[in-house]
């Protein structure tokens, strides 16, 4: 490891950070070494990362001192928050603040902050086309991330703002895959109308982040959006039909119906899909697959991802 620049990776045991850890460890000539941050260094995932060659260190996003220690001596840091663990946008904001302060304190030279749009820029709270959530947000798991961008800028932390896309792994792990209806037929239910949903394979987030760290200075202060492909619900259903060898229909429901599905986060996701549907240019524009492919020539499109992953999609 000696001589290599250290990249501290938040979320190393998870989807985005795990993708970056694999990208760095699979590219021994990158000049980077991985420092994997986790609250549970002794967990199976923590041990596995150590076995793969990462330095695994304890850190908690709620504890700024632990972050200062974990960032000490690091050249770069990949940063995220996980809304879905606590469903609190305020907590995400506080955690982003801790990370920005710790990165500043440690003198990290390049941060990649995995952010998303503060949708209130386009849909102010007074706009009734979608409900305001918890009195302060339109899309809770987006808004505080976007709101936190300025924390990095104001502290003078050299930052690239990374806009990721809907992970296609959501079809496997997040309950957003095709489901059997009462007629026994599979359907993909998103309130997207005929509009396009930018999607990406998680591993391609990691590979893109590695490319951004490699390019360094030219990306500092920039916002970079990445997607593997932009597809309508109907196009996703057609690709699934072909890959799975059984019919998958696209079930377009209005966002107001989706919001009432009742699972935790349904209102937030209903608003999110509606934002993506109604602000197509705002959302798709910055997530140009050609730019993502420029960073990461092995970027997968949906068909390629399906060929590798179709057997992992639960069809219930
Ligand atoms: N699903 C999508 O399509 C999508 C698209 C764009 C953005 N996102 C965003 O991605 C974020 C989640 O990222 P992910 O999917 O990569 O996560 P994930 O796979 O669910 O894993 C969560 C990671 O966050 C770490 N973590 C959470 N709280 C922590 C804390 N207090 N201190 C230290 N580490 C902590 C966990 O580490 P340990 O448990 O090991 O400590 C774990 O590695 C969400 O905020 C979501 O909004 C998701």
């Amino acid at each position: 490891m000696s001589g290599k620049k250290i990249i501290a990776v938040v979320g190393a045991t998870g989807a985005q950070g795990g993708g970056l850890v694999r990208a760095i460890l699979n590219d021994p000539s990158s000049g980077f070494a991985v420092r994997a941050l986790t609250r549970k260094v002794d967990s199976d995932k923590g041990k596995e990362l150590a076995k793969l060659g990462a330095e695994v260190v304890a850190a908690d996003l709620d504890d700024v001192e632990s972050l200062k220690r974990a960032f000490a001596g690091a050249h770069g840091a990949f940063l995220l928050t996980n809304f879905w663990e606590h469903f609190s946008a305020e907590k995400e904001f506080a955690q982003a603040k801790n990370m920005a302060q710790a990165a500043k304190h440690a003198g990290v030279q390049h941060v990649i902050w995995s952010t998303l749009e503060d949708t209130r820029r386009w849909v102010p709270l007074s706009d009734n086309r979608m409900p305001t959530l918890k009195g302060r947000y339109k899309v809770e798991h987006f808004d505080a991330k976007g709101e936190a961008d300025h924390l990095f800028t104001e502290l003078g932390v050299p930052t690239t703002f990374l806009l990721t896309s809907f992970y296609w792994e959501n079809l496997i792990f997040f309950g957003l895959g095709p489901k059997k209806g009462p007629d026994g037929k599979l359907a993909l239910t998103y309130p997207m109308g005929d509009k396009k949903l930018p999607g990406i394979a998680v591993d391609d987030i990691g590979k893109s982040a590695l490319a951004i760290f490699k390019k360094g200075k030219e990306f500092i202060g920039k916002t970079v959006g990445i997607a593997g492909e932009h597809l309508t619900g109907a196009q996703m259903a057609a690709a699934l039909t072909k890959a799975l060898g059984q019919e998958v229909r696209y079930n377009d429901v209005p966002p107001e119906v989706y919001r009432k599905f009742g699972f935790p986060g349904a209102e937030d996701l209903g608003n999110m899909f509606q934002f993506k549907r109604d602000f197509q240019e705002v959302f798709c524009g910055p997530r140009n697959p050609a730019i993502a492919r420029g960073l990461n020539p092995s970027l997968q499109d949906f068909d390629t991802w399906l060929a590798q992953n179709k057997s992992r999609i639960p069809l219930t």
Side-chain angles (χ1 to χ4, degrees):
M1 261 200 215
S2 65
K4 291 192 171 182
K5 293 176 174 173
I6 295 168
I7 304 291
V9 181
V10 170
T13 58
Q16 294 189 39
L20 175 58
V21 168
R22 287 188 293 278
I24 297 175
L25 296 177
N26 289 334
D27 183 359
S29 64
S30 71
F32 294 123
V34 175
R35 182 179 290 165
L37 276 60
T38 171
R39 288 161 295 181
K40 298 159 268 181
V41 287
D42 291 326
S43 66
D44 289 348
K45 284 184 180 173
K47 285 182 190 155
E48 194 187 317
L49 289 173
K51 217 192 281 172
L52 289 172
E55 174 193 8
V56 181
V57 305
D60 189 329
L61 304 185
D62 296 324
D63 175 359
V64 68
E65 296 304 320
S66 76
L67 291 168
K68 287 180 186 169
R69 287 192 294 275
F71 292 162
H75 162 83
F78 179 82
L79 308 180
L80 56 73
T81 50
N82 183 15
F83 174 83
W84 302 107
E85 179 171 314
H86 43 68
F87 292 83
S88 165
E90 280 85 359
K91 195 171 174 98
E92 283 195 288
F93 188 83
Q95 291 179 336
K97 192 171 189 178
N98 284 344
M99 289 189 284
Q101 286 175 343
K104 176 73 183 172
H105 181 266
V108 174
Q109 290 171 50
H110 191 175
V111 156
I112 298 179
W113 161 230
S114 182
T115 186
L116 287 167
E117 287 82 354
D118 183 342
T119 63
R120 298 166 297 184
R121 274 181 62 197
W122 295 276
V123 197
L125 297 185
S126 57
D127 187 329
N128 288 329
R129 86 186 89 177
M130 61 179 79
T132 294
L133 304 176
K134 302 197 180 137
R136 286 189 58 187
Y137 305 103
K138 288 297 184 182
V139 182
E140 279 181 273
H141 75 285
F142 274 49
D143 294 348
K145 290 183 178 78
E147 189 182 339
D149 289 356
H150 76 90
L151 299 171
F152 295 91
T153 315
E154 280 166 15
L155 282 173
V157 177
T159 304
T160 304
F161 301 90
L162 183 66
L163 297 171
T164 56
S165 290
F166 179 93
Y167 316 161
W168 290 320
E169 281 76 5
N170 290 337
L171 275 60
I172 305 173
F173 302 115
F174 207 65
L176 294 177
K179 300 243 178 353
K180 282 199 176 127
D183 58 358
K185 296 234 170 104
L186 289 166
L188 200 59
T189 300
Y190 302 149
M192 284 294 295
D194 60 357
K195 297 296 190 290
K196 293 191 171 186
L197 179 64
I200 194 162
V202 153
D203 272 341
D204 285 328
I205 300 177
K207 287 179 187 173
S208 304
L210 172 56
I212 292 168
F213 279 127
K214 280 185 183 171
K215 289 181 185 280
K217 276 203 180 99
E218 79 178 86
F219 279 101
I220 287 171
K222 301 265 164 59
T223 296
V224 183
I226 50 171
E229 199 172 7
H230 300 175
L231 293 169
T232 63
Q235 288 170 327
M236 288 181 77
L240 281 158
T241 300
K242 203 165 122 206
L244 298 170
Q246 56 178 309
E247 190 191 3
V248 178
R249 287 176 301 175
Y250 171 52
N251 179 27
D252 176 30
V253 293
E256 45 275 23
V257 171
Y258 194 95
R259 282 190 277 269
K260 293 203 165 62
F261 278 167
F263 61 84
E267 282 193 298
D268 186 26
L269 287 180
N271 283 7
M272 175 198 79
F273 281 121
Q274 186 177 348
F275 178 73
K276 293 179 183 183
R277 186 194 72 174
D278 295 353
F279 294 85
Q280 187 80 150
E281 279 311 305
V282 166
F283 195 77
C284 287
R287 291 168 170 80
N288 183 345
I291 290 178
R293 190 158 284 109
L295 286 168
N296 162 28
S298 64
L299 183 79
Q300 297 168 72
D301 59 17
F302 191 45
D303 286 338
T304 311
W305 181 85
L306 278 173
Q308 298 294 322
N309 293 282
K310 61 185 175 189
S311 63
R312 302 166 71 206
I313 300 174
L315 302 176
T316 48

